[in-house]
Amino acid sequence: MDFFQTPSKRHQFHHNKKRLTQDQVKLLERSFSSNNKLEPDRKLLLSKQLGIPARQVAIWYQNKRARWKTQSLELGYNAIQVKLETALAEKRKLEKDVERLRGELKKAHELLLDLNNQTVQPNQPVICSMFSASCDQEGAASSSLQHGDDRDHGVNHGVKELEELYACLIGIQ
C-alpha cells in the first residue's frame, strides 16, 4: 500500500518548498549581475545571507543563467531581424532604381535607333544642343567626344552627333 501513499508524500513535499522573497531575489539578481558563475564560497555566503539552503541558491543561479541565455538569444535574433528587414528594404529600393534606369536606357536606345534611321546631313545643327543645359561639358559628352576625335577620320559627322546626343541623354537623370 506504500505505492498509493507515495503521491501524497510527493505532493506534500512540493508544498513545503519555500519561495524566495522579493528582497532575496533582489540580492540574488545583484549578485548575478556582478558574476553569473557561482563559486562555492559565494554560494555559501549567499546561502547564509538569505537564510536558504545552498542547493536552492545553486538552482536559482542555474535557472537564471538559462533564462539569461534565452534572453540573449532573443535579443540577438531581434537585432539580426532588424538588419534583415533593413537590407530587404534597401534591396527593394535598389531593384526599383534598376528598373527605372533600365526604362530610361531603353528609351535612350530607342531614340538613338530612331535617330540612326534618319539621314543626318553634315550641316544640320547638333540635336544635343537642346540638352546642352543638362549636359556636363567635362562629363559624359566630352569624354565621348574625345574618343570620337581619335576615330573621327573614318566616321561621318552625323554619327559623331548621335554619339554626342546619346552621351547627353545618358547624362540626364
Side-chain angles (χ1 to χ4, degrees), residues 123-135:
N123 294 335
Q124 282 184 334
V126 177
I127 298 172
C128 190
S129 63
M130 296 185 301
F131 303 104
S132 62
S134 61
C135 280

Side-chain angles (χ1 to χ4, degrees), residues 68-134:
W68 175 74
K69 184 178 179 182
T70 302
Q71 288 172 345
S72 296
L73 289 173
E74 287 177 7
L75 290 174
Y77 173 80
N78 290 338
I80 290 171
Q81 192 70 24
V82 167
K83 288 179 182 179
L84 174 64
E85 289 171 6
T86 302
L88 288 174
E90 180 67 18
K91 179 183 178 252
R92 286 189 295 271
K93 179 184 173 287
L94 291 172
E95 286 172 342
K96 286 180 183 178
D97 287 348
V98 166
E99 286 303 313
R100 180 184 56 80
L101 291 171
R102 281 185 180 151
E104 289 179 17
L105 185 60
K106 183 179 178 184
K107 287 178 186 177
H109 279 284
E110 289 171 357
L111 182 60
L112 185 61
L113 288 174
D114 287 345
L115 291 173
N116 271 339
N117 290 336
Q118 296 174 0
T119 55
V120 178
Q121 301 298 325
N123 294 335
Q124 282 184 334
V126 177
I127 298 172
C128 190
S129 63
M130 296 185 301
F131 303 104
S132 62
S134 61

Side-chain angles (χ1 to χ4, degrees), residues 145-160:
L145 290 174
Q146 289 171 355
H147 292 297
D149 289 341
D150 296 338
R151 299 173 285 166
D152 197 31
H153 300 296
V155 178
N156 76 26
H157 186 67
V159 173
K160 185 174 179 182

Side-chain angles (χ1 to χ4, degrees), residues 13-60:
F13 176 73
H14 188 63
H15 281 297
N16 289 337
K17 180 180 174 186
K18 293 181 180 176
R19 294 232 172 232
L20 298 174
T21 66
Q22 288 181 349
D23 291 335
Q24 290 171 325
V25 172
K26 286 179 185 177
L27 180 64
L28 286 169
E29 291 282 351
R30 277 184 295 206
S31 176
F32 184 85
S33 66
S34 67
N35 189 2
N36 64 358
K37 297 289 182 181
L38 184 63
E39 294 110 22
D41 294 339
R42 198 154 132 219
K43 177 172 60 173
L44 292 174
L45 178 66
L46 286 170
S47 172
K48 287 179 184 175
Q49 284 179 337
L50 297 170
I52 59 175
R55 178 80 178 129
Q56 191 173 1
V57 173
I59 290 171
W60 186 91

